[in-house]
Amino acid sequence: MRYLTTVEVAERYRTAESTVRYWRQIKKGPRGIKVGKRVLYPEVELLRYERTLIDGQEEWGLAS
């Protein structure tokens, strides 16, 4: 299983690292796991999150 850092997630979604951290704080966006002081995001979790956006199951998401 591949894990991405906050920087890599921000790059993937073309947003700032602070935005990814904010998503985590408000419990939105892809779920990460804390490993020591780092937060890592399993790639399968990013795919799951993207599927919820595509299916319209998330209350916020892709712009029209």
Side-chain angles (χ1 to χ4, degrees):
M1 184 179 304
R2 182 169 180 239
Y3 293 88
L4 284 78
T5 64
T6 301
V7 172
E8 292 169 324
V9 172
E11 288 172 0
R12 181 176 180 133
Y13 295 126
R14 297 180 184 175
T15 192
E17 291 175 53
S18 59
T19 300
V20 176
R21 287 191 295 271
Y22 176 69
W23 290 345
R24 187 168 157 265
Q25 178 184 354
I26 63 170
K27 298 187 184 342
K28 299 287 182 181
R31 290 178 278 185
I33 58 171
K34 191 139 185 179
V35 180
K37 293 183 178 184
R38 300 177 71 186
V39 176
L40 299 174
Y41 297 85
E43 191 167 40
V44 295
E45 173 57 24
L46 298 178
L47 296 173
R48 184 208 59 81
Y49 172 67
E50 291 164 5
R51 176 52 52 196
T52 64
L53 292 177
I54 290 168
D55 292 344
Q57 296 173 3
E58 189 71 25
E59 62 188 56
W60 63 281
L62 303 175
S64 308

